[in-house]
Amino acid sequence: MFKNACFFRVAEDFVLPDLAALERALHKARFVPCGPTQPESTGWVPPRGNKSKVMAEMIGGHLILKQCTEKRAVPASAVKAAVEEKIERYKLETGNERVPSKLKKEFKEEVLLDLLPRAFSKRSTTLLWLDPREKLLVVDAGSLSGADRIVSSLLAALLEVPGAGPALDLQLVQTQTSPAASMSHWLTTREAPWRFTVDRDCELKAPDEQKSAVRYSRHTLEIDEVAEHIAAGKVPTQLAMTWNDRVSFVLSDAGQVRKLKLLDVVVKEAEDARGKDDEGFDTNAAILTGELSALIPDLLEALGGELSPGAAPVAELALAA
């Protein structure tokens, strides 16, 4: 289900709203395909798929939502060529060599309106998991900017639910030690945190203008070369890890979890638990949320613990001193 994970902390006084009211709010903001001249459309869809009409799924006390985005992509080269053609035509018809910037903008808008209906559309979906008890929201987004947009859509939907407004505060989870500092420590000491192992993929980047990078793929990281790169100033930006021999992932320097994968032992448990008439959604959701519910606290502890709002990370304080 989830391939990535961005973590947000929900306000302590947040109470899950009435599901029927939330369902109505999500239906108001349901996904509608792009119109002929619409470059992008975003809305909510049933997590189970098209056969279902339920927008808000509750599985074992966990709320599962899904958002769909459709974009019409017009190649920049096609827009540029069409605009230049209009500019040349304008010059020939008027005899003016100088074209006002306002007119160029109008040409571009006209070109987009002409090309958008003929452009191919591409859809993508993003899952959200809200744990009301632990006050945690997990977004299956590959970037923080993408996660922020989806969180904003969720907040907008919750604002439509009576009584949900006073506790809509959501904060990106921060840790006492920055992920980059923690990864540097694990790689330098060759000691992974409790219940974790360091795998065979890593990226190191220099924090300068050149951004020189070293990448290891399917390569042992327990070598002096890795520690030497870190001593020379390169910073880990991605590190492949495994938790408890059950879940593999890549940790980024922004604290995101990417390339989430349940390992064979977990997959086997899911297959054994899935009934013959079960399409797998409930079982998959229950197992995934169960695994992540145990993984996330361990990961936060490995990164020094969760940071209180407004406080500076320990690693940054040390550097500043």
Side-chain angles (χ1 to χ4, degrees), residues 220-240:
T220 179
L221 301 178
E222 294 185 349
I223 54 176
D224 294 338
E225 182 181 287
V226 173
E228 289 168 0
H229 280 303
I230 294 173
K234 287 187 175 65
V235 178
T237 56
Q238 296 186 58
L239 180 63

Side-chain angles (χ1 to χ4, degrees), residues 1-51:
M1 295 179 70
F2 278 68
K3 295 181 180 179
N4 310 283
C6 293
F7 312 128
F8 293 85
R9 186 60 68 187
V10 182
E12 280 297 325
D13 55 349
F14 175 80
V15 177
L16 191 66
D18 175 71
L19 281 182
L22 176 60
E23 188 76 20
R24 289 193 292 270
L26 295 173
H27 270 279
K28 286 182 181 179
R30 65 185 178 276
F31 171 74
V32 177
C34 288
T37 59
Q38 188 178 3
E40 183 175 338
S41 178
T42 299
W44 301 101
V45 294
R48 288 182 186 271
N50 296 331
K51 292 182 179 179

Side-chain angles (χ1 to χ4, degrees), residues 2 8 51 60 83 96 103 112 123 133 141 148 170 202 204 216 243 245 255 263 269 280 286 300 304 310:
F2 278 68
F8 293 85
K51 292 182 179 179
V83 171
N96 296 329
L103 192 57
L112 285 173
R123 292 185 186 180
R133 188 184 66 177
D148 284 339
L170 282 170
C202 177
L204 305 165
Y216 294 90
W243 171 78
D245 295 326
L263 299 186
E269 291 173 4
L300 296 180

Side-chain angles (χ1 to χ4, degrees), residues 5-7 141-144 179 249-258 299:
C6 293
F7 312 128
S143 67
L144 292 178
F249 61 94
V250 173
L251 178 65
S252 79
D253 55 348
Q256 298 166 268
V257 169
R258 299 171 179 164
L299 180 59

